[in-house]
Amino acid sequence: QVQLVESGGGLVQTGGSLRLSCAISGRTFSIYRMGWFRQAPGKEREFVAAIDWSGSMTDYADSVKGRFTISRDNAKNTVYLQMNSLKPEETAVYYCAAGLKSYHYWGQGTQVTVSS
């Protein structure tokens, strides 16, 4: 079984930073594509960032490019999302996801609140 647990969310002021972590259990973590998504109140879930199994290829939503950084540490079975210069409109529940070619596994989410 594969389980994902997000952590690191919380309350931060506009312009502040947070680093989210996603710990994943499973024997094949190193080959999974990992992604971060978020869902703000009243909005649909949206893609934020992704990283391939090797960590060499990353992808970001246009809205977060230059401010967010996704990374992974396969030895620790963990993926990270460094978020800088946070904006109030980025208040959302952030979800970690994993899969081989599509995202089959999802975490429970962690709340990020950016005060205006």
Side-chain angles (χ1 to χ4, degrees):
Q1 296 183 3
V2 177
Q3 294 180 310
L4 288 73
V5 180
E6 301 96 334
S7 63
L11 176 64
V12 64
Q13 295 181 344
T14 297
S17 299
L18 283 174
R19 189 178 77 156
L20 305 183
S21 298
C22 176
I24 180 170
S25 64
R27 300 177 181 86
T28 57
F29 169 78
S30 63
I31 69 171
Y32 284 138
R33 168 179 290 273
M34 303 296 299
W36 286 98
F37 295 76
R38 66 188 178 192
Q39 187 166 22
K43 295 185 177 181
E44 297 180 353
R45 181 178 295 180
E46 66 174 342
F47 168 78
V48 176
I51 188 166
D52 75 339
W53 69 271
S54 69
S56 62
M57 184 178 296
T58 57
D59 191 22
Y60 298 93
D62 288 342
S63 62
V64 307
K65 287 182 178 178
R67 297 186 298 115
F68 289 15
T69 302
I70 187 171
S71 61
R72 67 188 297 163
D73 187 337
N74 289 349
K76 296 181 179 180
N77 287 4
T78 303
V79 63
Y80 305 95
L81 183 67
Q82 177 66 46
M83 305 185 294
N84 298 328
S85 301
L86 283 161
K87 306 172 182 179
E89 56 265 37
E90 292 176 313
T91 292
V93 177
Y94 284 70
Y95 297 91
C96 179
L100 200 53
K101 295 182 179 180
S102 60
Y103 296 113
H104 299 297
Y105 308 103
W106 294 79
Q108 82 289 345
T110 185
Q111 177 70 47
V112 172
T113 302
V114 185
S115 61
S116 59

